[in-house]
Amino acid sequence: MTTEQLSTGLLIDGCWRPAADGATMAVIDPATEERIGMIAQAGRADTEAAIAAAARAFESWRSVPAWERSKILRKAASLLAERVDRVARRMTLEIGKPLAQSRAEVLAAAETIDWYADEARRIYGETLPGRSTRQRFVTLREPVGPVAAFTAWNFPVVLQARKIAPALAAGCTVVCRPAEEGTGAVAMLIGCFLDAGVPAGVINMLTGVPGEIAEAVMDSELIRKVSFTGSIPVGQHLIRRSADTVKRISMELGGHAPVIVHEDADPVLAAKASAVAKFRNNGQVCVSPTRFYVHEKLRAAFTDAFVDAVKAMRLGHGLEPETDIGPLINRRRLEAVERMVEDTKASGAALLCGGRRPASPNRGFFFEPTVFGDVPDSARVMHDEPFGPIAALSTFQSFEDVIARANGPSYGLAGYVFTASLGRAQRTAEALKVGMVGVNSFAVATAEMPFGGVKHSGFGRENGAEGLRDYLDVKFVSIELPGDV
């Protein structure tokens, strides 16, 4: 691809255009540190124009029959699946994840859109008997209004799909702001919606530094809901700001997922599955398993298998087919991971592998996949989300002890358990204070099931039937029938 092909503008009212003041930002390939394109940098004037376009389009889009909205969503999903290779390549160049993982993400986004094509036709109200023979009670579900969708860079396409698809299915219009990284892939996603027949103004895309965009969105009375995926501090700020205009909000924030490996689990199978899940997208995953609590009887077998699996992983550019782990997203993340590693060393934990930048590749934001053993609960890595290639192994003896430790941090997004006992699996799943639990599996994100957390990991749900409800208001209608038949 050329630099020109990787450049991305703003989408406002159906037109791709530069920022009003001409501002731009560079797109950097994290594997080479080379500039591979430019994106427009939206300001307040651009944001207000996008909000106005979404508000105008809402009045007509909300009236489009559900079956017609369903057809458009289905077509968008089909187009995205057809274009998977182009979108995946763009994503890998922009954020560094291995191409196979990028393809899987794009296809997952297509599944999500297809799922909501069905849900668009299932927005049900209720009819209830009144308190007299002449009275009827009815509830209607109506679109909440124009919404804003803010997403992180680690899964740029699927995160936007989780917000745009249910919003459009409900009859809402959208102003979306993907992270600075990965915007080209998101633009290609939105292109699928436009080519499928989404009218001008129904989807608008802004790129650039988030502060000015977010403040204009939060100030606006026209935006009636904000859906955010990102860090806890930013989420807390948006929650506070939402009070001024009483916006509906949903938050998918950070995670620090515990993995509990009970004494009856297969330690080798659990270790191999854990290593793959931990280092997917270089650990830059909100539901990434990070704290591994292994029963003391399985300590040696699990640790040996885990470390062996990690040592076999190959670092490299995401476009190279033999690459297992790509670079971190930018230098800030690389330096944050280095600080976390040094802090974990200082805690007295045993460094089992990794722990440094590799000798090769000698450019790009690469860091060796890192495993620590005997990590004390006091170490920062056991409380602060590392969001990188760091695995912290510890042991436990009793069920009560491991549950207390697993639930200790303020996060509550995902948790995992490995066991051969159905009863132990059920008790562990019920005891973990998280929004999602994987039992002998790390698959907790599917189009048809709710995704989200509790505690500081946020509230609201994406995916599944629950993901549509946050975009709908409930209206109660009380009817008094006139006279007799």
Side-chain angles (χ1 to χ4, degrees):
M1 284 188 172
T2 66
T3 298
E4 181 64 26
Q5 288 174 311
L6 285 178
S7 295
T8 305
L10 311 176
L11 177 65
I12 299 176
D13 206 12
C15 297
W16 292 100
R17 64 178 226 192
D21 61 3
T24 60
M25 299 177 67
V27 178
I28 303 297
D29 181 344
T32 65
E33 302 183 53
E34 296 175 352
R35 192 180 79 177
I36 56 174
M38 303 294 291
I39 62 171
Q41 183 173 330
R44 190 174 186 96
D46 300 303
T47 306
E48 291 175 348
I51 292 170
R56 289 192 299 270
F58 175 67
E59 297 308 317
S60 56
W61 180 250
R62 68 178 302 177
S63 300
V64 172
W67 280 69
E68 182 61 27
R69 295 199 303 268
S70 176
K71 290 178 183 178
I72 292 173
L73 286 168
R74 183 94 63 211
K75 179 63 175 177
S78 177
L79 290 173
L80 183 60
E82 290 173 9
R83 300 171 186 178
V84 58
D85 291 329
R86 282 181 286 160
V87 181
R89 178 180 173 83
R90 181 78 166 252
M91 187 191 305
T92 291
L93 287 169
E94 291 179 327
I95 69 170
K97 70 170 60 176
L99 188 59
Q101 295 180 28
S102 294
R103 290 188 86 260
E105 177 183 339
V106 175
L107 292 175
E111 286 184 351
T112 297
I113 300 166
D114 188 67
W115 168 265
Y116 282 111
D118 288 331
E119 289 301 291
R121 299 179 297 186
R122 301 191 180 104
I123 300 175
Y124 304 132
E126 294 179 297
T127 301
L128 305 175
R131 300 203 174 185
S132 73
T133 58
R134 296 172 56 183
Q135 195 174 49
R136 302 291 185 272
F137 291 155
V138 177
T139 62
L140 306 175
R141 296 189 182 274
E142 300 178 339
V144 67
V147 305
F150 297 131
T151 52
W153 48 263
N154 56 334
F155 288 89
V157 172
V158 80
L159 291 179
Q160 278 293 339
R162 287 178 183 173
K163 301 178 190 303
I164 294 172
L168 267 57
C172 299
T173 54
V174 182
V175 176
C176 72
R177 188 266 166 191
E180 302 96 289
E181 304 90 348
T183 54
V186 176
M188 296 175 79
L189 163 70
I190 292 173
C192 294
F193 283 105
L194 300 181
D195 292 345
V198 171
V202 172
I203 303 176
N204 304 271
M205 188 182 90
L206 303 172
T207 59
V209 177
E212 197 167 354
I213 297 171
E215 291 307 304
V217 164
M218 301 312 291
D219 285 341
S220 174
E221 292 281 359
L222 297 174
I223 296 294
R224 298 315 310 149
K225 170 183 165 60
V226 172
S227 180
F228 173 74
T229 300
S231 71
I232 291 175
V234 175
Q236 290 170 327
H237 172 72
L238 294 177
I239 292 169
R240 287 189 288 267
R241 290 286 279 111
S242 71
D244 296 336
T245 53
V246 196
K247 297 187 198 307
R248 182 181 300 186
I249 53 176
S250 55
M251 297 278 139
E252 195 267 280
L253 307 177
H256 202 321
V259 180
I260 298 174
V261 183
H262 287 293
E263 62 182 304
D264 61 349
D266 183 321
V268 175
L269 289 178
K272 290 180 177 179
S274 295
V276 172
K278 170 65 234 179
F279 296 103
R280 180 170 65 106
N281 201 16
N282 217 349
Q284 299 168 124
V285 182
C286 57
V287 295
S288 175
T290 297
R291 295 173 289 138
F292 296 85
Y293 299 103
V294 182
H295 195 277
E296 61 178 6
K297 292 181 180 179
L298 305 182
R299 171 182 174 174
F302 181 93
T303 301
D304 289 347
F306 191 96
V307 171
D308 287 346
V310 172
K311 286 182 176 179
M313 294 178 178
R314 184 186 182 280
L315 287 167
H317 197 293
L319 294 181
E320 298 171 359
E322 62 273 21
T323 293
D324 298 303
I325 301 177
L328 292 160
I329 187 62
N330 53 37
R331 188 169 298 282
R332 296 190 308 277
R333 184 96 304 269
L334 175 62
E335 292 172 351
V337 167
E338 286 182 314
R339 290 193 295 270
M340 183 71 79
V341 166
E342 292 306 311
D343 181 86
T344 309
K345 288 179 182 177
S347 75
L351 178 62
L352 303 179
C353 68
R356 62 183 182 180
R357 301 186 193 188
S360 178
N362 60 6
R363 63 175 179 170
F365 309 122
F366 291 94
F367 197 85
E368 292 181 351
T370 300
V371 182
F372 284 99
D374 300 322
V375 183
D377 288 347
S378 59
R380 188 163 66 91
V381 73
M382 300 298 272
H383 300 276
D384 295 349
E385 182 182 21
F387 213 64
I390 307 173
L393 277 55
S394 185
T395 60
F396 73 94
Q397 295 181 356
S398 71
F399 180 85
E400 293 74 18
D401 169 62
V402 74
I403 291 299
R405 293 164 67 195
N407 287 336
S410 59
Y411 300 92
L413 189 57
Y416 307 97
V417 53
F418 284 83
T419 177
S421 164
L422 179 60
R424 186 172 280 152
Q426 187 69 33
R427 287 195 297 273
T428 306
E430 292 173 356
L432 287 172
K433 296 177 181 178
V434 296
M436 299 168 287
V437 179
V439 177
N440 298 325
S441 170
F442 290 100
V444 293
T446 63
E448 65 271 28
M449 298 304 292
F451 184 100
V454 298
K455 300 196 293 185
H456 285 198
S457 289
F459 49 84
R461 291 296 181 267
E462 296 184 321
N463 289 352
E466 289 85 353
L468 188 61
R469 294 170 188 161
D470 275 349
Y471 295 90
L472 296 166
D473 282 330
V474 178
K475 178 183 288 183
F476 165 52
V477 181
S478 178
I479 303 171
E480 190 77 17
L481 301 179
D484 296 326
V485 176

